[in-house]
Structures are given as C-alpha cells and as structure tokens.
Amino acid sequence: MNLIFSHRRIGGLLAVVPANERSFVDEMANFNFPPARSLKLKQVMGYDKHRIVDGPVCASDLACFGMEHLFASGMLGRDDFDALIVVTQSPDYLMPPTSSVIQGRLGLKQDMFCLDINQGCAGFLIGLFQAFSLLEQPAVRKVVLVNVDVLSRKTSPRDRNSYPLIGDAASIAIVERFPDGTPIHANLKMDGTRREALIIPAGGLRLPSSPETAVLEDDGENNFRAKDNLRMDGTAVFNFVQVEVPPMIRELLQTAQADMEDVDYFLFHQPNRFMLQKLADQMKVPYEKMPSNIVEHFGNSSGVTIPIAIVHNLRERLLAGSIHACLAGFGVGLTWSSMLMRLGPLDFCELVDYK
C-alpha cells in the first residue's frame, strides 16, 4: 500500500529512557552459555548496555514523565493539542486504553481525541500515518504521538536470544500542519501468516496467564523462557528483514521519483547492529548514513528505536536545519513500512532520563 501526505511535519521530538542501565557483561551469568561465546555474540550483534525500567514502571509512567517535562520547559502547552495517539504493545491495562490513562493522569481537557494503536517495530510510522490523517480535521491543531514500550517486563532474563537486546523507552513527537507542500511518501505491508516469529503466547484471551504459563522452559538451545515471555525466532526475523525491506525501500524511492543518493540518512528500526549493517550492505548504503548504534547504548525498544536514533545521532543538525530522511520499521505482525520525508528543523530534539 502506497500512501502520500502533504503539508505535515514533525515539529519536535523527545525521547525518554530509564536511568537504570544494565551491562551485557554483568548479565552474562544469567545465560546458560559459555562466556567466550557470549562475548563473541556481544561483538557481532553490537550488544553492550541497555536501559530497562526498575520495578513496576508502566508505559504511562514514561509517557507522563516526558509530557510533564515538555510542559515544564515550555516546549508544549497543555491545551496546545487536540489529539493524543499512543502506540504500544505493553499497555497499562487490557482496558481502558493507555491514552485515556495518560489523558486522565495529566489532567488534559475532555475535548480530546485519544487513541491506542497496538503496533511494534513499525509503530512509530503507523502512528505518524494516523496523526497526519487526523490533521485533516479543522478541529485538530496538533497531535501528540507517543510511542512507548516496557517489554523488558515481558522478557525472560535467562533468554540470551532476546533479553540482552531489549530496551524500554518512550518517544513523544509533535505532529502539526506545515505550509511547505513537499510530499511525504510512505508505504506499508503486513503478513499475519508469519505472526508467530515475534509473539508473547500467553496473557491475552487466547491463552490467559496462569501458573502454568509462567513456568520457564528450555527452548533446546539453553534459552529459558515462559509462555508469558516474549518469543523471537531470530532466524525467521533476520531472513524476513533481508528479503522484504530492500525492495520496500526501492519501491518507496521509485514512487517518490528519488534516488538512494538523494537521501541524507536512513533512520531505521534497530533490532541489532549486525542486522542493520547487513541491510546497508545489501542496499549499498554507507554505514554512516544508516546509524546502527542504538542497541549498544539503549537496547531495542521496538518502534521507539527510530526516534531515539534521530535524537541521539542528529540532534544538533535537526535543531539547526533539515535533512532528507528515509524512515523504516519492520517486525512484529509481521509488518514493514517506510517513509520518505523532509525532517527538521525541529523546535526541540532531546533525550531525557526517567528517574
């Protein structure tokens, strides 16, 4: 599916990461795996440190902390926006929606459109699609797009396949109208037949959580996880990304009548450094144009890795000017999406620690 938007922009971007930083080396003892092989994995995948919540911190806690920071610093007024979109796979409750929780905790006005979107690795882009569409309504002046996940709480610390890379984080993007008519091109594809490649089997109504679903099981490769935990078929996900993402980007550029060389930065979801570098090699994109340093500093926070990559790598440049950016997310669903847009200058571009 090809999409096109115009007269829209991201006006500001804030990322929130937990202050609690954990080291891969310190956590190696949790894995039933030879230390030398774990260190080799660290080197290849780009693991080092990750930020995860400490205690029963929920998605709304990170989001409200970030919103209060924007209110206190004068970067956003409480009444400046008319829609709140929350993209998350780790909601506070099955119901009510986390967007309603945030709206109530912050004491926002009742004349407000609140919406939750259950999406993962492509969630930041899908949230942008919805925000751009809402701005068609004259009553909606600005949209606050929150992308947040605390998936460390659903990942087994004894699962070497997933736990070393998982990270918790939130991003807050201000989406608004913009007089510049430069088109924003995007595309989106989904394949639910491959949904089990990334899944938390228990906890929904299909398989409710129980004492039985909390029992750790060996997957045959010395990874111990329960049905309540995140399960990732790493080989299936890697193959999916390498097969599906390059043609998606080529299709996007063809639709936009642009070339690879026209793109200043490829700001992609970051599963790990190895996967992104293989993508860059296949697409013949220089590594410096496709940052792959987020997992080693913060961990994989699903779709939030895209805004973190922006604020961590390009803050000064985007406060001063703009870039021609290709964004892409790919993973849970399975879902893959990309967007070509002019990004910047931003009114704010910041990363803060949640304490």
Side-chain angles (χ1 to χ4, degrees):
M1 177 183 296
N2 293 320
L3 305 170
I4 187 168
F5 305 94
S6 61
H7 302 290
R8 304 285 185 265
R9 77 161 186 153
I10 297 174
L13 198 55
L14 176 74
V16 181
V17 295
N20 180 38
E21 184 178 74
R22 304 291 295 275
S23 164
F24 177 83
V25 172
D26 292 341
E27 293 175 339
M28 287 193 325
N30 296 330
F31 310 132
N32 189 11
F33 206 65
R37 292 183 64 185
S38 289
L39 289 173
K40 179 65 174 177
L41 186 71
K42 172 182 180 293
Q43 179 182 7
V44 172
M45 294 297 189
Y47 300 159
D48 189 8
K49 299 174 182 178
H50 58 160
R51 301 288 192 98
I52 59 176
V53 296
D54 187 13
V57 176
C58 294
S60 71
D61 297 320
L62 295 181
C64 288
F65 180 87
M67 293 289 287
E68 292 286 12
H69 174 81
L70 293 179
F71 296 153
S73 61
M75 290 183 280
L76 180 68
R78 288 181 184 271
D79 295 325
D80 287 351
F81 58 101
D82 305 293
L84 173 64
I85 298 172
V86 176
V87 181
T88 186
Q89 299 172 113
S90 46
D92 287 21
Y93 307 100
L94 284 176
M95 63 178 187
T98 303
S99 56
S100 296
V101 174
I102 294 169
Q103 186 251 6
R105 287 183 58 178
L106 294 176
L108 301 177
K109 62 187 181 183
Q110 294 183 352
D111 192 17
M112 171 79 64
F113 186 100
C114 293
L115 174 69
D116 276 25
I117 299 176
N118 181 358
Q119 275 290 343
C121 309
F124 182 66
L125 273 71
I126 291 172
L128 285 175
F129 299 162
Q130 183 64 67
F132 292 158
S133 298
L134 279 173
L135 288 168
E136 292 290 339
Q137 297 300 318
V140 179
R141 296 164 298 164
K142 291 184 181 180
V143 180
V144 169
L145 169 61
V146 175
N147 192 181
V148 55
D149 266 311
V150 287
L151 286 172
S152 70
R153 297 185 60 186
K154 298 298 291 183
T155 307
S156 169
R158 296 187 62 194
D159 183 358
R160 178 183 48 83
N161 195 41
S162 299
Y163 194 76
L165 63 86
I166 207 71
D168 302 321
S171 66
I172 300 170
I174 309 304
V175 185
E176 57 194 1
R177 297 184 186 89
F178 189 56
D180 184 348
T182 303
I184 299 171
H185 291 273
N187 56 19
L188 172 68
K189 296 180 185 293
M190 298 187 176
D191 182 3
T193 65
R194 292 184 274 179
R195 61 191 178 275
E196 293 189 4
L198 279 162
I199 190 171
I200 300 175
L205 298 185
R206 180 67 61 188
L207 180 61
S209 291
S210 67
E212 290 76 19
T213 64
V215 175
L216 293 176
E217 302 168 335
D218 187 346
D219 70 348
E221 297 181 356
N222 293 322
N223 293 304
F224 292 85
R225 65 177 81 93
K227 290 184 174 66
D228 287 331
N229 297 139
L230 173 69
R231 295 188 174 197
M232 177 178 64
D233 184 339
T235 300
V237 172
F238 176 82
N239 290 336
F240 151 70
V241 171
Q242 301 303 316
V243 170
E244 303 290 2
V245 172
M248 171 182 68
I249 301 301
R250 288 194 292 270
E251 178 183 335
L252 175 73
L253 294 174
Q254 182 178 12
T255 301
Q257 297 183 334
D259 298 322
M260 286 281 189
E261 294 74 20
D262 298 329
V263 179
D264 296 315
Y265 287 95
F266 294 83
L267 299 162
F268 286 8
H269 164 56
Q270 304 213 3
N272 57 66
R273 186 177 63 203
F274 175 78
M275 190 179 294
L276 275 189
Q277 289 185 344
K278 288 297 182 183
L279 259 185
D281 291 341
Q282 189 179 163
M283 295 168 56
K284 296 181 173 54
V285 172
Y287 289 171
E288 59 268 22
K289 293 181 69 171
M290 188 185 290
S292 60
N293 56 353
I294 298 307
V295 167
E296 66 183 284
H297 293 296
F298 305 103
N300 175 355
S301 51
S302 197
V304 194
T305 61
I306 298 174
I308 291 178
I310 295 171
V311 300
H312 181 67
N313 292 292
L314 298 170
R315 178 179 184 273
E316 298 301 329
R317 180 161 181 177
L318 289 173
L319 288 173
S322 66
I323 62 171
H324 201 207
C326 178
L327 314 182
F330 34 83
V332 178
L334 294 174
T335 308
W336 58 113
S337 180
S338 61
M339 179 182 292
L340 190 66
M341 68 182 303
R342 177 63 58 179
L343 183 62
L346 301 181
D347 298 331
F348 60 88
C349 186
E350 188 178 358
L351 186 145
V352 296
D353 286 353
Y354 172 87
K355 300 178 181 179

